[in-house]
Amino acid sequence: MPELPDVETFKQYFQKTSLNQPIKKADVENKKILADTSGSNLKKELEEKKFDEAKRYGKYFFASIKNSSWLLFHFGMTGELKYFKNLEDKPSHSRLLITFENGYHLSFDCQRMLGKIDLIQNIKEFTKKKELGPDALKINLDEFKKRMQNKRGGIKSALMDQKTIAGIGNTYSDEILFQVGIHPKEKVKNLDEKNLEKMFNKMKKILETTIDKKADPEKFPSSYLIPERKKNGKCPIHNIDLQRIKVIGRTAYYCPKHQQKK
DNA sequence: AGTACCACCTGACGGC
DNA sequence: TGCCGTCAGGTGGTAC
């Protein structure tokens, strides 16, 4: 589920594999993933050019096309990047296929097609238009507290609101709340400054740790909730069944023992 | 402002 | 075996 740590991992992968390599071909294999551009336009923009920079903001990834626009990726729920040599290794839901002069390929694989690709001129303008809040990795404590203190609803929906903070989704909001011991439906208003500061620190630590582990739950510390976010999952601290509830239409997992409402 | 609900979309899974 | 409902969860739109 591409949230900030997953997208950051894609960015690092892209930097390692696809930067500064002359592009030979670019083919859109399914037009549904295109936002505001056409397949022929994308082809024209990419072929015989190269990527010279990679950036991330929240859950969005941007690849700079040298002397031209930015190629924007949003991964939706099932999007990912794959770099490979032989076409037989092409992922099964490849929607955009880029072929480099060196013979390797980069594919935007997106099974459910909830992802999007677009061309944009300016990242700042884009994030402004989307009204995205500060990136969760970059936001400082004061800004975090200020933004949270303006929220009236529940804490999980506040953490997932991209206009409040950009980058946290359903999975990682569960992890943050699990580690600070707060119920997903707790009203933000009921949290004091100390709660918010602890939450801020945990959020940063979780993002840094999971990026370091390349967003792979199998490599996460055994004290983490995420690997247990499944049917019959247990709290790694208390070894009891996790609770499953709906919060804003999303499934939230939490420990009924150490995440009780105030 | 916040929440509820729907749509987009595919594939895995459980029930019958 | 195979059909069907449900679920997964990011975003965006609408209704209340």
Side-chain angles (χ1 to χ4, degrees):
Chain A
M1 300 94 255
E3 301 181 31
L4 192 153
D6 311 86
V7 179
E8 180 65 24
T9 302
F10 293 146
K11 181 186 120 186
Q12 293 175 4
Y13 181 74
F14 180 92
Q15 285 174 322
K16 259 199 300 194
T17 59
S18 305
L19 229 41
N20 299 314
Q21 290 194 37
I23 298 166
K24 190 172 164 188
K25 267 185 101 219
D27 292 299
V28 174
E29 300 183 287
N30 193 314
K31 291 189 165 68
K32 281 204 179 109
I33 51 111
L34 299 178
D36 246 348
T37 186
S38 66
S40 58
N41 194 32
L42 204 53
K43 201 172 170 69
K44 201 175 70 199
E45 275 292 317
L46 288 170
E47 291 185 351
E48 293 167 43
K49 304 250 187 52
K50 55 171 84 167
F51 298 114
D52 63 347
E53 209 184 340
K55 285 186 183 266
R56 182 197 54 75
Y57 192 108
K59 301 175 191 172
Y60 290 88
F61 171 62
F62 311 90
S64 164
I65 305 163
K66 194 176 180 186
N67 298 324
S68 187
S69 32
W70 293 88
L71 182 61
L72 171 157
F73 292 86
H74 189 274
F75 297 92
M77 214 196 103
T78 53
E80 56 183 326
L81 296 177
K82 279 274 167 61
Y83 183 80
F84 53 96
K85 185 163 193 180
N86 300 317
L87 278 177
E88 63 207 45
D89 296 326
K90 187 171 85 162
S92 32
H93 314 284
S94 176
R95 310 304 186 196
L96 170 68
L97 186 68
I98 292 170
T99 303
F100 297 105
E101 292 285 356
N102 68 4
Y104 280 78
H105 308 273
L106 179 74
S107 164
F108 176 66
D109 187 69
C110 190
Q111 185 209 105
R112 273 174 237 179
M113 295 198 286
L114 299 173
K116 279 282 172 277
I117 286 179
D118 207 355
L119 288 168
I120 62 162
Q121 298 307 315
N122 186 306
I123 295 177
K124 271 220 172 86
E125 272 176 30
F126 173 80
T127 56
K128 199 176 164 189
K129 201 177 83 197
K130 289 270 173 192
E131 301 176 70
L132 296 179
D135 185 82
L137 259 191
K138 302 233 177 82
I139 193 170
N140 64 42
L141 176 61
D142 285 346
E143 183 74 13
F144 179 81
K145 283 199 286 198
K146 204 176 87 193
R147 286 179 167 265
M148 282 300 166
Q149 282 160 352
N150 284 331
K151 305 293 283 184
R152 292 153 200 262
I155 182 62
K156 181 173 165 72
S157 46
L159 285 170
M160 287 196 297
D161 181 1
Q162 301 303 297
K163 292 176 181 169
T164 305
I165 318 167
I168 309 292
N170 195 33
T171 307
Y172 284 86
S173 59
D174 274 0
E175 186 67 51
I176 294 166
L177 294 171
F178 175 81
Q179 292 199 22
V180 292
I182 291 172
H183 191 282
K185 283 198 171 169
E186 187 65 73
K187 291 268 179 282
V188 184
K189 287 245 143 69
N190 294 340
L191 303 176
D192 59 24
E193 291 221 3
K194 236 180 152 176
N195 292 144
L196 290 176
E197 187 170 342
K198 193 175 165 197
M199 187 176 299
F200 172 84
N201 289 328
K202 283 290 185 190
M203 175 180 83
K204 295 279 182 176
K205 184 81 172 91
I206 290 165
L207 294 176
E208 283 159 16
T209 302
T210 55
I211 288 168
D212 190 52
K213 303 291 181 197
K214 305 203 180 309
D216 179 357
E218 287 184 14
K219 301 196 178 79
F220 291 178
S222 59
S223 58
Y224 270 45
L225 168 77
I226 289 175
E228 289 297 314
R229 281 185 88 266
K230 58 191 176 194
K231 217 178 153 196
N232 300 323
K234 298 247 191 291
C235 169
I237 300 165
H238 299 104
N239 199 32
I240 56 171
D241 287 346
L242 294 169
Q243 291 282 311
R244 243 170 66 125
I245 55 169
K246 288 279 176 198
V247 179
I248 320 258
R250 301 273 97 90
T251 306
Y253 287 81
Y254 72 99
C255 171
K257 179 140 186 182
H258 79 276
Q259 289 177 264
Q260 294 180 7
K261 272 213 208 176
K262 292 189 185 232

